[in-house]
Amino acid sequence: MGFLARIGGLRFAVVVLTAMTALQMALIAFGNITDFGTNQAFVQHVLAMDTTFRSPDMMWRTITSPGLQNAAYVVIIAWETLTALVLIAAFVAWLRGSASARRLSTLGWVMWVLLFGVGFLAIGGEWFQMWQSEKWNGLQPALQNFLIATVALVIAHLPAKEST
């Protein structure tokens, strides 16, 4: 019963979610670093708004400077890397039984929510009208990532019940 209590509890679920999201964000950052050009093109097209409906009332929002586009992409990669490092630290803290584990997981998932919720859904999706693009629309993956982090945040902050 002791083994089942350990692996069937809320704490174990949060540890697994922390490990999974740490791995996922590390792979996202690693992929963007080692295959810089693939998602660089995505960021460039979203910021340039060159595959949207091209409404004259919206096109003033475009960022067509390659330097600014690349700077935005580098900031995204740096944020992904930092988020991965925070989540890795959170996982290690969970394994060590550190009191900071939940706070670190929370910080990592809030960083994740900011990246995908604010960065991709709000700014990319609405400000740069990414939803209008048939080819460069990343709203579905952004929503998936946003939901992963928000579900993890909710689970991590559920009140723990004493086992009977």
Side-chain angles (χ1 to χ4, degrees), residues 32 36-50 63 68-74 76-77 120 128 136:
N32 284 336
F36 190 86
T38 298
N39 284 327
Q40 176 189 30
F42 173 84
V43 170
Q44 288 173 332
H45 285 287
V46 169
L47 296 179
M49 298 173 63
D50 56 1
I63 297 176
L68 291 176
Q69 291 171 338
N70 289 335
Y73 186 45
V74 168
I76 291 168
I77 294 171
F120 289 102
F128 290 106
W136 301 103

Side-chain angles (χ1 to χ4, degrees), residues 77-98:
I77 294 171
W79 190 262
E80 292 167 345
T81 303
L82 184 58
T83 302
L85 291 173
V86 168
L87 288 167
I88 290 166
F91 177 62
V92 170
W94 281 111
L95 293 178
R96 291 183 175 169
S98 172

Side-chain angles (χ1 to χ4, degrees), residues 11-153:
R11 181 186 182 282
F12 184 74
V14 175
V15 172
V16 169
L17 281 168
T18 303
M20 183 213 65
T21 54
L23 175 62
Q24 183 178 357
M25 188 56 76
L27 292 173
I28 290 169
F30 181 76
N32 284 336
I33 291 167
T34 59
D35 182 21
F36 190 86
T38 298
N39 284 327
Q40 176 189 30
F42 173 84
V43 170
Q44 288 173 332
H45 285 287
V46 169
L47 296 179
M49 298 173 63
D50 56 1
T51 59
T52 64
F53 302 161
R54 302 190 62 81
S55 167
D57 294 328
M58 297 289 191
M59 295 308 290
W60 62 271
R61 299 177 181 183
T62 64
I63 297 176
T64 56
S65 162
L68 291 176
Q69 291 171 338
N70 289 335
Y73 186 45
V74 168
V75 167
I76 291 168
I77 294 171
W79 190 262
E80 292 167 345
T81 303
L82 184 58
T83 302
L85 291 173
V86 168
L87 288 167
I88 290 166
F91 177 62
V92 170
W94 281 111
L95 293 178
R96 291 183 175 169
S98 172
S100 65
R102 187 174 323 278
R103 286 189 301 276
L104 283 167
S105 289
T106 297
L107 175 60
W109 292 324
V110 168
M111 292 172 70
W112 192 309
V113 165
L114 288 171
L115 176 64
F116 290 101
V118 175
F120 289 102
L121 294 175
I123 296 172
E126 291 304 320
W127 184 256
F128 290 106
Q129 303 290 292
M130 182 170 58
W131 64 270
Q132 294 178 3
S133 178
E134 289 184 24
K135 184 171 182 182
W136 301 103
N137 183 345
L139 290 178
Q140 186 62 42
L143 179 60
Q144 288 170 216
N145 278 286
F146 175 80
L147 290 174
I148 288 168
T150 54
V151 166
L153 279 167

